[in-house]
Amino acid sequence: MINRNALLYVLIIVSSLTTITLSAVSACSSISSEFVGFVVHPHEGHTDVIDQYNVTAELSNVFLWRVKDHNSLEVDFEPASKWITQLYGYNRAAYPIIDTSVFHTSGWRAERTRQSGQFMTGSDSKEWGATTNGDYFQTWSSLYSPIFREDVLKYTDQLVEWVKKNDPNYKIPGYVNGAEWFMPGMVDYNPLGIAEFQHWLEKKYEKLENLNFLWGSTFEKWSDVDPPRGYLLGDLYVGMRTVGFGSKAEAVGCQYESQLFNIVSDSIYHVKAELYQKNTPRGLYGIKLDCYDKNNNLIKYVGDGQFYWADIPNNGKGDLSAYCRMPSNAVKARLKLKLMSPGTVHFIDPQIIKWPEQKNVLSEDMDSSSVWNFSSSNDQAKGQIKQGKNINTFILSIPQLSMPYKYTGLAW
C-alpha cells in the first residue's frame, strides 16, 4: 500500500540515467527528458493514489520473477498485462525495475543452482546466506553459475519481447537495473569462482613466479592458487564493516557477560564505562545490552539493537555513555562487554544506572568472578578482571592473526 507521507519522496529520472532501451531508439525523441514520479509496487494495489498528484512517471516493481513453470521458465505476464492497462489509463511513463542479481535468486531459483553445487560460497567454503524471517536461512546462486546466467537471459529476453509487443506508444522507454547488492555482501568462493579467478590471474601475471613474488606465496601450479579469504569482523548488528584476514576464515570475538539482573520495563537506563583501547578497529568494541521477557526469552531487535561504542584514540582513554529505553515487555537484562577484532580493550567500571534515580543496577559489592562469565570464539583470546576498590576493570585481548601470504593486502 502506498503511504501518502511516502509520496513526499519525489524521484526525478533524468535523461542521463543509465538505462537499456526496450523500445525503438527513434521513439525516445517523443519522451520528455525529465520525469517526476514515485517507486510503486503494482502487485500491492492502490496505484490510483499516485494519480492524485502531478506526476509523469513511475519506477515500477512489476516484474517479480513470476513464471508459469520452474523448468521451462516461461514468464507469467498476467499481472504485468493488468498493470500496463492501468499505466496507459493514467498516461504515465514507466521504468520497470528488473531484478537480475544473485541476491534475487532465493527460493526456487536458488534451489535450481544448489542442486548442481552452483551456490554462493563464503570464505569458509560453506554455503553462504543470511537468516531472515525468523529461522529461515536464505541462500543464493553463485555469481559464476551457468544455470543462473541462463535463467537471467531467458527471463530478460521474454520481458523485452513482451514490452515490444504490448507497448505500442512507448510508455516504457527503458528499465532500471534493480540488481542491488545487499550488505555485508560476499565475494563468491564457489569452485566456479575460484577457477575463474585463477584463470584471470594467469592472464594478468603470465608466469606463476611473478604472482608468487608479489604475493609472497609459494604456489607450484596455477590450480593451487587460493584467493585471500577475508571475513567480516563484528556481529551483524555492528554498523562498522571491517575485513580481517587469517590463516582461515573464522569468527573472531570474545566477551564478558553478566548474570541476568532485574529491570523496569519501558524505563530509561544509562549505560556507561571508561574505555581504553589499543590496536582495535573503530567500532569493534563496546557494550551490548540484551533484554529478556518474563519467560527468559531474548527480545530480538531490528537493525543495530542496543549496542554502544565510543570512538577512542589508539592507546587512549575515553567515556562510553548512552541512554536507552527498555522494551515494554522486558523484565530482565544482561550486559555484554565485547571485543570483536584483534586488539585490546579495557572496560573500566561498567555500570547500568536507572534514570533518573541514579541507581546502579550492578551492585558494587558483586563478586566479579561469579557474576561475569568469559567466552570466546577464538582460542587465542584472553580475558582478565582486575578488581579495585569499588571499581573493576575488564580486559579483553585478541592477538593479531597471521596472514595467509607475506603480502596479503596486495593479494586482496
Side-chain angles (χ1 to χ4, degrees):
M1 180 175 180
I2 300 175
N3 189 308
R4 288 180 180 269
N5 291 331
L7 293 177
L8 295 176
Y9 172 72
V10 179
L11 177 67
I12 299 178
I13 310 170
V14 296
S15 59
S16 61
L17 178 66
T18 301
T19 61
I20 298 179
T21 301
L22 297 180
S23 303
V25 175
S26 59
C28 291
S29 60
S30 63
I31 302 295
S32 171
S33 62
E34 182 176 280
F35 298 119
V36 179
F38 306 95
V39 178
V40 300
H41 300 270
H43 64 285
E44 296 181 357
H46 305 285
T47 52
D48 55 318
V49 176
I50 299 179
D51 206 39
Q52 301 175 19
Y53 298 83
N54 186 26
V55 300
T56 59
E58 62 182 57
L59 267 179
S60 308
N61 193 15
V62 63
F63 298 117
L64 301 175
W65 282 96
R66 293 185 178 92
V67 295
K68 296 180 179 180
D69 180 75
H70 294 167
N71 293 318
S72 66
L73 298 182
E74 181 183 354
V75 177
D76 180 7
F77 287 110
E78 182 177 353
S81 297
K82 296 179 180 179
W83 162 77
I84 200 169
T85 300
Q86 293 178 337
L87 184 72
Y88 269 65
Y90 297 139
N91 195 30
R92 289 195 294 265
Y95 281 81
I97 300 171
I98 311 298
D99 292 319
T100 57
S101 80
V102 294
F103 293 104
H104 293 92
T105 61
S106 59
W108 65 269
R109 296 186 60 220
E111 189 59 33
R112 282 170 52 84
T113 54
R114 183 182 295 112
Q115 292 173 355
S116 301
Q118 299 176 11
F119 48 76
M120 181 168 282
T121 306
S123 55
D124 57 0
S125 297
K126 298 178 181 179
E127 187 171 6
W128 188 84
T131 301
T132 59
N133 299 327
D135 297 328
Y136 172 67
F137 188 67
Q138 180 173 306
T139 59
W140 297 280
S141 305
S142 169
L143 293 163
Y144 299 94
S145 164
I147 295 176
F148 163 73
R149 177 180 175 84
E150 179 186 10
D151 288 357
V152 169
L153 293 178
K154 283 185 176 180
Y155 175 65
T156 53
D157 283 349
Q158 292 180 70
L159 296 187
V160 169
E161 291 303 315
W162 183 87
V163 170
K164 290 165 64 176
K165 180 180 178 180
N166 292 275
D167 183 30
N169 295 337
Y170 308 112
K171 294 295 184 182
I172 307 174
Y175 76 80
V176 175
N177 189 358
E180 65 264 346
W181 287 77
F182 297 108
M183 295 304 290
M186 177 54 67
V187 177
D188 188 11
Y189 286 86
N190 187 282
L192 292 168
I194 292 179
E196 185 71 21
F197 182 63
Q198 292 167 343
H199 180 62
W200 178 79
L201 289 173
E202 186 174 2
K203 289 194 299 183
K204 179 177 181 178
Y205 294 109
E206 297 182 349
K207 296 181 180 180
L208 189 57
E209 50 264 35
N210 293 338
L211 180 137
N212 282 331
F213 174 78
L214 291 173
W215 283 24
S217 54
T218 57
F219 300 116
E220 295 183 358
K221 54 183 183 296
W222 285 106
S223 59
D224 291 338
V225 177
D226 190 47
R229 294 176 178 263
Y231 52 90
L232 288 174
L233 297 172
D235 293 337
L236 289 177
Y237 51 76
V238 178
M240 311 304 298
R241 298 299 182 192
T242 301
V243 175
F245 298 98
S247 56
K248 60 179 181 179
E250 60 182 353
V252 176
C254 61
Q255 65 181 9
Y256 272 107
E257 179 180 281
S258 76
Q259 290 183 350
L260 287 173
F261 48 83
N262 295 324
I263 58 172
V264 180
S265 62
D266 203 30
S267 297
I268 296 178
Y269 284 78
H270 183 195
V271 179
K272 61 182 297 187
E274 185 179 19
L275 269 58
Y276 162 83
Q277 73 87 11
K278 181 178 181 180
N279 299 329
T280 304
R282 180 173 179 261
L284 293 178
Y285 53 89
I287 297 179
K288 179 75 165 64
L289 175 64
D290 284 346
C291 297
Y292 299 81
D293 62 21
K294 63 181 181 180
N295 297 318
N296 285 341
N297 295 318
L298 177 66
I299 299 173
K300 296 183 178 180
Y301 291 87
V302 177
D304 291 344
Q306 293 179 330
F307 176 80
Y308 310 104
W309 64 283
D311 194 2
I312 310 299
N314 197 32
N315 285 320
K317 287 185 178 182
D319 292 326
L320 183 154
S321 177
Y323 290 86
C324 61
R325 182 179 293 277
M326 298 298 179
S328 59
N329 59 334
V331 297
K332 294 182 179 180
R334 74 167 85 242
L335 290 184
K336 293 181 178 179
L337 315 177
K338 299 179 71 71
L339 172 62
M340 297 170 287
S341 73
T344 299
V345 60
H346 295 201
F347 295 88
I348 305 168
D349 193 23
Q351 300 179 41
I352 177 165
I353 300 170
K354 178 71 168 60
W355 189 85
E357 293 90 332
Q358 299 298 313
K359 178 184 177 181
N360 185 11
V361 178
L362 296 177
S363 175
E364 296 179 354
D365 58 359
M366 283 182 175
D367 179 8
S368 298
S369 61
S370 62
V371 172
W372 296 86
N373 176 61
F374 175 79
S375 61
S376 172
S377 59
N378 183 280
D379 56 10
Q380 299 183 60
K382 295 181 180 180
Q384 180 186 5
I385 300 177
K386 288 187 176 181
Q387 293 181 282
K389 187 176 181 180
N390 298 326
I391 292 180
N392 295 324
T393 299
F394 299 81
I395 304 174
L396 298 173
S397 180
I398 299 176
Q400 295 295 325
L401 305 178
S402 60
M403 297 293 100
Y405 311 116
K406 185 177 181 180
Y407 308 116
T408 297
L410 180 60
W412 178 255

